[in-house]
């Protein structure tokens, strides 16, 4: 619509034509509604296609003079920017077209951060664990690792934990007005500005929107102060900085020392290799065979966390005290628990279901079992698609059913979607012994009222954008703001610590409990929330505390203070000003929060009533 207005097609249809392409049909339908709402249905022609499916002479009469695009992710290239531009220049555009944006430039900076290091180096972080398990045995440093890629992250949230080791440096430049290359590399010599250990490369990009170089957009972190890269001041969830982890313990560096950085880009990604004169770093993905596992950074950090492993060790030891020759089923994708049970109980037999890992879990266990002193017959991975039966257990009942619970591929899910463990427990009921011990035995839904201005603004209802009315999309997109009843704000998964400005407005409270030792069923709970701080309440943050044993002595929380888990956020339709009891401001002092769990869908519904 902005292109049509800029070209004057709204006034005279002969002045030009705007063609838009969108492959996702529901979005096409929304686009048409917005166009019609703004009286521009005849000014923009929409094709339900990818741009590389358009043909000159079929879809458009001639090559286009202007290209307008926004196919950028946090890394810049991940949404297919390069192949899309290549096809456009080859098949759809005139020579030397006008483009918006005009140019994109990627930048990077070398940093030291213990937090970032723990997100990928399991080998060196599990050395001090007291459980005797080696998820990464000696000589198999990359058997369990994060994917070798740039990981999007709001680095401002950990700025106080980052030691900057270099000045920002330019990595790649991409001109939208000419055909880009599929492959490219950049070799840089970077001088260290501080002593430290290089744990990561933090990167971002800057868009030059116009050819004159007067309009820029930057995803740089707040600490960058160059004129065109200065932090824009607006937190957003769709574009973040990116982090590339340096393998192992990183590279020690002294102020003034030079580092060789070799950056390589493909059609869709960027990778790095670093070395100093004293240190040669091997490529992160140089691993032979198919026995390795690739997990998300937060899972690697959890597996290397001594406190977490100690909790698991204590809980399992308590369970195994009453079992002499136990048959244990690991219901989830925990390779750690599978090894730990076999290690603690030499007379146990372990069946790992590995519903997400499957064959990858088998290969991994084969590779590391011997290094952990476990024979191949002690852990069996159940690979059939049907549920476990007594025929599969040789008519022996299951004594222990355990989980973290963790399911491979659920990293972006809401916390209670790990109630899959409860569903698995129910489906396995026929093979469970009457006195079966279940770990975790209970789950507790916890919550806290919070001020979340940045997060709320990023999901608020759309209204006028550049004088174009977008209000018609709100019911479909599920935004928060001026929604008609009975529509409510969305319930979404987020790392709260990465959500910009936040403030707790109440104490942590319990909404309801779930008894995982019994079959899954509907649950309902409510809590009266008393506000303890004055501020603007934008929603409620919810999470699960997993009670690992019946004595409540081992409880694993996944709340906002734990940065390796996502929480659920129930955003309000409208923010509400609240204050503590006895406040003279007349602000709201309490509210009733209700939640119900539907086992058939696995969904949690949350409602509130202000008082």
């Amino acid at each position: 619509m902005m292109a049509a207005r800029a070209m004057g097609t709204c006034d005279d249809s002969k002045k030009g034509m705007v063609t838009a392409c969108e492959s996702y049909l529901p979005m096409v339908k929304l686009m048409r509604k917005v166009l019609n709402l703004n009286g521009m249905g005849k000014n923009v022609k929409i094709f339900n296609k990818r741009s590389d499916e358009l043909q000159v002479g079929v879809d458009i009469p001639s090559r286009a003079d202007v290209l307008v695009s926004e196919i950028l992710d946090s890394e810049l290239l991940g949404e297919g920017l390069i192949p899309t531009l290549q096809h456009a220049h080859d098949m759809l555009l005139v020579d030397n077209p006008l483009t918006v944006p005009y140019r994109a430039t990627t930048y990077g900076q070398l940093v030291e951060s213990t937090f970032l290091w723990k997100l990928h180096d399991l080998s060196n972080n599990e050395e001090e664990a007291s459980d005797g398990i080696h998820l990464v045995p000696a000589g198999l440093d990359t058997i369990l690792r994060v994917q070798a890629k740039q990981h999007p992250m709001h680095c401002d949230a950990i700025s106080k934990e980052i030691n900057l080791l270099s000045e920002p440096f330019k990595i790649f430049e991409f001109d939208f007005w000419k055909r880009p290359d599929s492959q490219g590399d950049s070799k840089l010599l970077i001088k260290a500005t501080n002593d430290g250990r290089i744990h990561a490369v933090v990167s971002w990009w800057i868009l030059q929107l116009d050819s004159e170089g007067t309009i820029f957009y930057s995803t740089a972190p707040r600490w960058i102060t160059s004129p065109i890269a200065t932090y824009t001041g607006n937190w957003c969830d769709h574009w973040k900085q990116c982090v590339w982890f340096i393998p192992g313990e990183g590279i020690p560096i002294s102020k003034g020392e030079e580092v060789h950085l070799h950056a390589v880009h493909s059609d869709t990604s960027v990778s790095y290799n670093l070395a100093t004169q004293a240190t040669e770093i091997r490529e992160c993905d140089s691993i032979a065979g198919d026995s390795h596992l690739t997990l998300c950074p937060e899972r690697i950090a959890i597996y290397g966390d001594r406190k977490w492993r100690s909790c698991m060790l204590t809980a399992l030891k308590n369970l195994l005290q009453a079992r002499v020759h136990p048959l244990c089923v690991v219901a989830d994708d925990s390779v750690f628990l599978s090894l730990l049970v076999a290690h603690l109980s030499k007379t146990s037999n372990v069946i790992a279901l590995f519903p997400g890992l499957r064959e990858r879990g088998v290969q991994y266990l084969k590779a590391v079992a011997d290094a952990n002193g476990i024979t191949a017959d002690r852990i069996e991975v159940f690979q059939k698609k049907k549920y476990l039966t007594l025929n599969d257990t040789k008519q022996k009942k299951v004594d222990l059913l355990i989980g973290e619970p963790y399911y491979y591929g659920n990293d972006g899910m809401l916390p209670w979607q790990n109630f899959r463990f409860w569903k698995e427990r129910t489906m396995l009921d026929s093979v469970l012994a009457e006195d079966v011990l279940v770990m975790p035995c209970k789950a507790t839904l916890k919550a806290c009222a919070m001020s979340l201005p940045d997060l709320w603004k990023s999901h608020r209802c759309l209204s006028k954008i550049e004088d174009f009315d977008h209000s018609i999309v709100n019911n479909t997109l599920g935004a928060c703001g001026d929604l008609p009843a009975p529509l409510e704000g969305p319930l979404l998964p987020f790392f709260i610590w990465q959500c910009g400005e936040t403030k707790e407005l109440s104490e942590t409270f319990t909404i309801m409990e779930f008894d995982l030792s019994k079959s899954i069923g509907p649950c309902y709970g409510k809590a009266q929330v008393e506000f303890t701080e004055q501020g603007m309440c934008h929603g409620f943050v919810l999470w699960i505390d997993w009670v690992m044993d019946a004595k409540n002595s081992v409880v694993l929380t996944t709340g906002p203070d734990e940065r390796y888990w996502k929480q659920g956020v129930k955003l309000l339709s409208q923010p509400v000003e609240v204050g503590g009891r006895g406040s003279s401001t007349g602000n709201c002092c309490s509210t009733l929060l209700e939640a119900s769990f539907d086992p058939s869908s696995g969904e949690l519904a949350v409602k509130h009533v202000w008082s």
Side-chain angles (χ1 to χ4, degrees), residues 403-419:
E404 297 184 24
Y406 157 68
Y407 291 92
Y408 179 80
N410 270 23
D411 311 314
M413 303 295 187
L414 288 159
W416 41 89
Q417 289 177 307
N418 279 329
F419 280 158

Side-chain angles (χ1 to χ4, degrees), residues 536-551:
M536 193 66 73
C537 181
H538 296 93
F540 300 93
V541 176
L542 302 100
W543 65 92
I544 300 295
D545 280 0
W546 302 98
V547 182
M548 306 308 285
D549 63 340
K551 297 180 181 179

Side-chain angles (χ1 to χ4, degrees), residues 75 81 150 192 239 288 291 351 358 409 422 425 480 482 566:
E75 189 180 17
L81 173 65
Q150 296 198 96
W239 286 325
S291 57
I351 298 176
R358 297 286 181 180
W422 198 11
R425 177 254 174 273
C480 51
D482 298 316
K566 284 188 175 182

Side-chain angles (χ1 to χ4, degrees), residues 80-243:
L81 173 65
I82 288 178
T84 302
L85 288 179
Q86 287 175 337
H87 178 269
H89 282 282
D90 290 344
M91 308 299 296
L92 302 176
L93 298 174
V94 299
D95 293 336
N96 300 314
L98 300 174
T99 65
V100 179
Y102 181 78
R103 175 179 291 131
T105 307
T106 62
Y107 292 85
Q109 198 165 16
L110 305 181
V111 304
E112 177 182 45
S113 168
T114 300
F115 175 74
L116 294 179
W117 169 54
K118 289 182 177 181
L119 287 173
H120 73 94
D121 186 14
L122 180 56
S123 176
N124 290 296
N125 276 297
E126 73 168 352
E127 285 183 352
E128 299 180 19
S130 59
D131 47 53
I133 294 299
H134 299 284
L135 293 174
V136 183
L140 296 172
D141 292 350
T142 55
I143 192 79
L144 196 61
R145 56 177 185 159
V146 298
Q147 188 175 351
K149 70 170 189 175
Q150 296 198 96
H151 296 268
M153 186 181 300
H154 287 290
C155 292
D156 289 323
I158 55 169
S159 59
K160 294 180 180 179
E161 302 171 56
I162 286 179
N163 177 25
L164 301 177
L165 298 179
S166 76
E167 294 293 338
F169 46 84
K170 182 191 294 187
I171 306 171
F172 291 114
E173 193 168 83
F174 301 93
D175 291 319
F176 285 62
W177 54 271
K178 64 182 181 181
R179 191 185 193 277
D181 295 327
S182 294
Q183 307 289 330
D185 72 337
S186 179
K187 294 182 179 179
L188 305 173
L189 195 59
I190 303 164
K191 182 175 289 188
T193 55
N194 283 305
D195 298 338
R197 186 176 289 271
I198 306 172
H199 289 135
V201 178
V202 172
S203 66
W204 61 92
W205 46 257
I206 299 175
L207 286 184
Q208 178 182 328
L209 278 298
D210 62 334
S211 59
E212 295 79 15
T214 63
I215 307 171
F216 293 89
Y217 183 92
S218 171
T219 62
R222 293 184 184 183
W223 63 75
I224 300 300
T225 57
S226 101
I228 64 170
T230 302
Y231 177 68
T232 60
N234 295 317
W235 181 92
C236 67
D237 187 51
H238 51 285
W239 286 325
K240 310 169 186 176
Q241 295 79 49
C242 280
V243 174

